[in-house]
């Protein structure tokens, strides 16, 4: 009965479409073949300007460059899969927009913004459609049938417990069975077979070219993984990578599946290790126990047996694809996500230095130049900014972790579980603040010499609005609001002429120290009430912050759209 009704609806719709057909012959509707693009797309596009990303070619020899060329070809297949993961209509739409692009500036902008967003939904504007029809983005992207509701999948899993693992699995696509209309799980290895086979072939060619044993091992295991939907062996091999080429390809993050966060999106990062920066990093890491002892907190809070944390690599990005190349670009990532591998091998944090540099030039510095007192502007320093990001990551590895359980002092408990939903904002804020604190330590001990303390403070203050502009409702933005409000209250940052601000260098260090002590105390005691009161007071916006953000010129980019020189892109 239901089927008959559906069939009828389809016939009626089809009939309607049919009756409209003759009109297509007139000149007026021939132009309606063109996809309508929202008029403000050129200004949206200006928020993600194309920016050339290149790497220091002297870091790779001839053989390694050949390997990289193969990895770029492999990554292009990954890109195609991700386009399909976002929307089943994406590839057809992409062809139409590419043809239409030559028709005029709006069409060109529509095409470019579509490519930058990997789809017609604006990732900077809550997924609003900017190309007709202006329908909402399906919550589960194309991982599930377009018309499937959350409840349908939940009910199906409850009714078919034997299929739960497959339906909820990271590496399956959910579709309807053609005959029964029931939900069915199709493995990625089957659904994306065409592109995965091509990608695997390129990876094997790259593996044959390289004389680096660890890279050969990783690429071979990765090519095998595509056919088996099991990335555990390749993840382990990735953790063991040695040498200048640092590449990771596979289905990892689950954010594109906003319905359930079950399904992993394909992505690729092809990068080269930045040797000089990585050597410096090794030196800082050796000082972590001394930095722990130097934290401004009572001795009883000091964490003397924090294990060696995950390794950090500083790299230069050569090429990215898929989930790694859409909307706002990644400047650092931490993989793998597989808890079994993490337990066995830990995880690796990778910082993309040339991407950070591009973001700083295009977005961070222009904001700072607008907001800082002109007399302090010459003190802005990319090095101070980059090292803050780096020391932020290092500083996640110091400070309280397991603490005495307030309910039973004999027991130890992770501060994360006591601080619950406050933890992310507190921990991100802590990493920022201790990042600055540990930079002071590193400079005092001559480990950092490329900028002075004044440059450090001015850069710190000037860049805060870059993250607050993304929003204060998220952990990083909220953590930044805390720092801004605290530094303002303590007089370390003061208003200057024309809506600008300046740093009071005599007050910056003590203000930072008292903030560090407060954050460390909250984490060391796991005091939820204290943490909540603190965030409610400092982790919020106010008229000054709102007006400052509103006062930023619209034409300051939010982020960049990468143009990869190594792939011959223009
Ligand atoms: Zn962090």
């Amino acid at each position: 009965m239901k089927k008959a009704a559906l069939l009828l609806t389809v016939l009626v719709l089809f009939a309607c479409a049919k009756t409209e057909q003759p009109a297509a012959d007139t000149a007026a509707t021939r132009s309606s073949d063109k996809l309508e693009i929202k008029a403000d797309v050129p200004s949206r596009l200006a928020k993600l300007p194309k920016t050339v990303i290149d790497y220091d070619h002297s870091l790779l020899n001839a053989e390694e460059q050949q390997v990289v060329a193969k990895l770029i070809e492999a990554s292009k297949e990954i890109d195609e899969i991700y386009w399909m993961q976002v929307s089943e209509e994406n590839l057809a739409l992409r062809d139409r927009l590419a043809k239409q692009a030559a028709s005029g500036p709006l069409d060109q902008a529509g095409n470019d913004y579509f490519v930058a967003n990997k789809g017609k939904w604006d990732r900077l504007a809550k997924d609003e459609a900017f190309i007709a029809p202006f329908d909402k983005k399906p919550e589960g992207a194309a991982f599930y049938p377009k018309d499937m509701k959350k409840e349908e999948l939940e009910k199906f899993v409850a009714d078919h417990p034997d299929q739960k693992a497959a339906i909820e699995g990271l590496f399956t696509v959910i579709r309807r069975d053609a005959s029964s209309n029931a939900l069915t799980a199709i493995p990625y290895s089957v659904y994306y077979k065409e592109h995965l086979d091509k990608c695997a072939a390129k990876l094997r060619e790259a593996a044959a070219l390289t004389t680096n044993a660890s890279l050969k091992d990783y690429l071979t295991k990765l090519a095998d993984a595509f056919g088996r939907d099991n990335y555990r062996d390749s993840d382990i091999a990735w953790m063991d990578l040695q040498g200048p080429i640092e590449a990771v390809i596979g289905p990892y993050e689950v954010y594109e599946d906003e319905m359930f966060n079950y399904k992993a999106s394909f992505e690729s990062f092809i990068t080269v290790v930045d040797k000089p920066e990585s050597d410096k990093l090794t030196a800082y890491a050796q000082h972590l126990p001394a930095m722990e002892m130097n934290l401004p907190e009572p001795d009883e809070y000091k964490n003397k047996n924090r294990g060696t944390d995950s390794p950090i690599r500083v790299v230069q990005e050569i090429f990215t694809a898929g989930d790694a190349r859409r909307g706002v670009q990644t400047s650092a990532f931490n993989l793998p996500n597989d808890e079994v591998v993490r337990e066995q091998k830990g995880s690796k944090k990778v910082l993309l230095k040339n991407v950070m540099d591009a973001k700083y030039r295009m977005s961070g510095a222009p904001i700072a130049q607008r907001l800082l007192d002109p007399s302090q502007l010459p003190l802005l320093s990319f090095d101070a900014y980059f090292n803050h990001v780096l020391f932020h990551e290092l500083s996640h590895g110091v400070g309280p972790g397991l603490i005495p359980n307030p309910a039973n002092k004999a027991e130890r408990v992770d501060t994360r579980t006591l601080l619950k939903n406050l933890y992310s904002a507190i921990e991100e804020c802590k990493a920022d603040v201790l990042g600055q604190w540990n930079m002071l330590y590193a400079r005092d001990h001559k480990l950092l010499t490329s900028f002075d303390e004044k440059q450090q403070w001015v850069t710190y203050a000037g860049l805060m609005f870059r993250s607050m502009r993304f929003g204060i409702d998220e952990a990083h933005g909220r953590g930044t609001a805390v720092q801004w409000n605290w530094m303002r209250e303590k007089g370390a940052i003061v208003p200057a002429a024309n809506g600008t601000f300046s740093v009071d260098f005599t007050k910056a260090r003590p203000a930072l120290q008292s903030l560090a002590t407060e954050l460390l105390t909250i984490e060391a005691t796991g005091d939820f009430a204290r943490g909540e009161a603190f965030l409610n007071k400092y982790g919020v916006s106010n008229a000054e912050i709102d007006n400052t953000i509103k006062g930023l010129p619209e034409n300051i980019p939010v982020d960049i759209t990468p143009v990869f020189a190594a792939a011959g892109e223009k």
Side-chain angles (χ1 to χ4, degrees):
M1 189 60 209
K2 242 188 191 162
K3 252 189 186 165
L6 187 75
L7 192 67
L8 196 68
T9 320
V10 171
L11 283 173
V12 170
L13 283 173
F14 192 65
C16 292
K18 267 261 158 86
T19 54
E20 278 165 20
Q21 278 277 302
D25 288 344
T26 69
T29 43
R30 218 167 309 145
S31 68
S32 78
D33 286 342
K34 267 181 69 171
L35 290 155
E36 187 192 339
I37 296 163
K38 284 207 170 160
D40 65 350
V41 164
S43 70
R44 296 182 195 219
L45 184 63
K47 292 197 174 147
L48 293 178
K50 286 189 179 178
T51 307
V52 174
I53 299 289
D54 205 353
Y55 71 102
D56 175 358
H57 291 235
S58 72
L59 292 168
L60 295 179
N61 64 28
E63 174 203 295
E64 289 154 350
Q65 292 191 21
Q66 280 181 308
V67 172
V68 159
K70 290 287 177 202
L71 296 180
I72 290 175
E73 288 175 35
S75 302
K76 288 179 180 171
E77 301 297 332
I78 294 300
D79 212 50
E80 291 301 292
I81 297 175
Y82 181 71
W83 275 103
M84 293 189 273
Q85 291 187 306
V86 174
S87 165
E88 294 267 284
E89 288 138 38
N90 254 350
L91 296 184
L93 202 51
R94 189 179 67 184
D95 284 348
R96 284 182 70 183
L97 284 163
K99 284 189 194 115
Q100 188 175 322
S103 317
L106 181 60
D107 301 291
Q108 182 66 54
N111 178 64
D112 291 353
Y113 204 52
F114 175 81
V115 172
N117 280 284
K118 285 254 171 40
K120 66 174 189 177
W121 296 283
D122 189 342
R123 292 176 187 270
L124 298 188
K126 299 195 166 80
D127 284 335
E128 179 194 82
F130 53 89
I131 289 165
F134 303 107
D135 51 340
K136 267 187 72 179
K137 182 178 181 184
E139 222 189 331
F143 296 109
Y144 308 94
K146 208 174 167 183
D147 62 346
M148 189 199 81
K149 296 269 184 301
K150 215 173 168 171
E151 298 71 30
E152 185 186 346
L153 184 132
E154 285 164 349
K155 184 172 184 311
F156 184 85
V157 167
D159 294 345
H160 305 83
D162 57 315
Q163 292 182 46
K164 181 180 163 75
I167 293 280
E168 296 179 354
L170 270 172
F171 310 132
T172 60
V173 172
I174 306 305
R175 291 292 177 264
R176 286 186 205 287
D177 184 273
S179 52
S180 69
N181 215 31
L183 296 180
T184 172
I186 308 169
Y188 283 0
S189 58
V190 175
Y191 200 79
Y192 303 119
K193 184 175 184 349
E194 184 197 336
H195 293 292
L196 288 175
D197 283 352
K198 286 188 199 163
C199 183
K202 295 291 175 195
L203 294 178
R204 292 204 171 90
E205 288 174 32
L209 280 172
T210 182
T211 47
N212 178 312
S214 67
L215 184 61
K216 196 186 282 288
D217 185 48
Y218 170 59
L219 297 175
T220 309
K221 285 179 172 155
L222 180 60
D224 291 343
F226 288 151
R228 298 187 288 121
D229 297 298
N230 186 331
Y231 296 84
R232 196 155 286 165
D233 290 348
S234 58
D235 277 352
I236 290 171
W238 182 67
M239 286 302 297
D240 290 333
L241 264 189
Q242 298 291 335
I245 297 176
E246 181 65 66
V248 61
I249 298 178
Y252 284 109
E253 306 302 342
V254 294
Y255 307 115
E256 192 69 22
D257 170 10
E258 287 180 61
M259 193 180 270
F260 290 107
N261 284 169
Y262 286 158
K263 307 300 173 190
S265 298
F266 276 92
E267 66 181 356
S268 166
F269 289 95
I270 310 301
T271 75
V272 53
V273 173
D274 188 314
K275 184 84 171 56
E277 283 298 340
S278 295
D279 290 348
K280 279 189 243 165
L281 196 56
T282 313
Y284 310 146
Q286 282 162 356
H287 279 77
L288 276 179
M291 289 181 194
E292 175 76 42
M293 297 318 288
N294 181 54
L295 294 181
E297 61 180 347
D299 221 33
E300 74 222 59
Y301 292 167
K302 296 218 156 94
N303 189 350
K304 284 160 190 149
N305 38 24
R306 189 141 184 170
T308 46
D309 235 328
S310 49
I312 300 179
R313 296 262 193 290
V314 178
V315 303
Q316 297 179 21
E317 188 170 283
I318 300 174
F319 191 77
T320 60
D323 194 26
R325 191 178 187 181
R326 87 286 180 283
V328 171
Q329 302 302 301
T330 299
S331 53
F333 62 87
N334 194 353
L335 285 174
N337 293 332
D338 184 340
E339 285 302 332
V340 174
V341 181
R342 287 174 91 111
E343 204 149 280
Q344 197 182 327
K345 304 288 295 185
S347 67
K348 191 156 59 177
K349 197 157 259 173
V350 180
L351 305 187
L352 305 155
K353 191 182 180 192
N354 55 344
V355 178
M356 278 182 221
D357 179 59
K359 285 168 182 268
Y360 174 84
R361 270 186 292 115
M362 301 300 287
S363 169
I367 290 174
Q369 278 152 4
R370 173 86 190 183
L371 294 184
L372 290 171
D373 183 276
S375 68
Q376 294 191 340
L377 272 183
L379 296 170
L380 261 184
S381 151
F382 169 69
D383 254 0
Y385 167 71
F386 171 72
N387 277 286
H388 187 211
V389 179
L390 202 149
F391 274 79
H392 169 109
E393 298 301 344
L394 282 174
S395 299
H396 275 305
V398 296
L402 287 176
I403 61 169
N405 189 346
N408 172 12
K409 295 269 184 219
E411 209 180 270
R412 287 169 79 75
V413 60
D414 194 336
T415 185
R416 176 196 302 262
T417 55
L418 296 174
L419 294 174
K420 296 176 220 169
N421 59 323
L422 310 177
Y423 179 76
S424 304
I426 301 267
E427 174 62 21
E428 286 311 326
C429 187
K430 179 211 88 173
D432 268 352
V433 171
L434 295 192
Q436 290 290 330
W437 183 256
N438 289 330
M439 278 161 76
L440 293 172
Y441 172 95
R443 277 193 335 84
D444 292 347
H445 290 79
K446 306 273 180 290
L447 298 169
L448 270 181
T449 51
S450 57
F451 52 91
D452 64 21
E453 186 168 337
K454 284 186 175 172
Q455 288 178 292
Q456 180 178 332
W457 294 124
V458 166
T459 307
Y460 177 47
L463 270 291
M464 280 195 213
F465 273 91
R466 176 171 145 78
S467 56
M468 285 196 279
R469 198 185 185 205
F470 282 110
I472 290 172
D473 39 3
E474 164 278 346
H476 293 82
R478 195 161 193 209
T480 310
V482 167
Q483 296 163 69
W484 178 265
N485 287 324
W486 188 281
M487 298 304 268
R488 284 281 294 112
E489 184 187 276
K490 307 292 177 215
I493 298 173
V494 289
N498 304 321
T500 65
F501 298 91
S502 63
V503 175
D504 182 335
F505 297 114
T506 61
K507 293 184 176 155
R509 206 186 259 242
L512 187 87
Q513 176 167 349
S514 61
L515 178 53
T517 302
E518 178 63 22
L519 289 159
L520 287 164
T521 305
I522 292 169
E523 287 202 350
T525 56
D527 188 338
F528 184 88
R530 184 169 179 161
E532 192 174 42
F534 171 78
L535 280 185
N536 286 343
K537 182 171 179 198
Y538 294 100
V540 288
S541 195
N542 54 38
E544 184 179 274
I545 293 176
D546 287 344
N547 290 333
T548 305
I549 291 173
K550 266 188 231 137
L552 287 172
E554 275 281 307
N555 61 7
I556 295 182
V558 170
D559 202 66
I560 59 156
T561 296
V563 174
F564 294 112
E569 294 177 355
K570 275 184 207 124

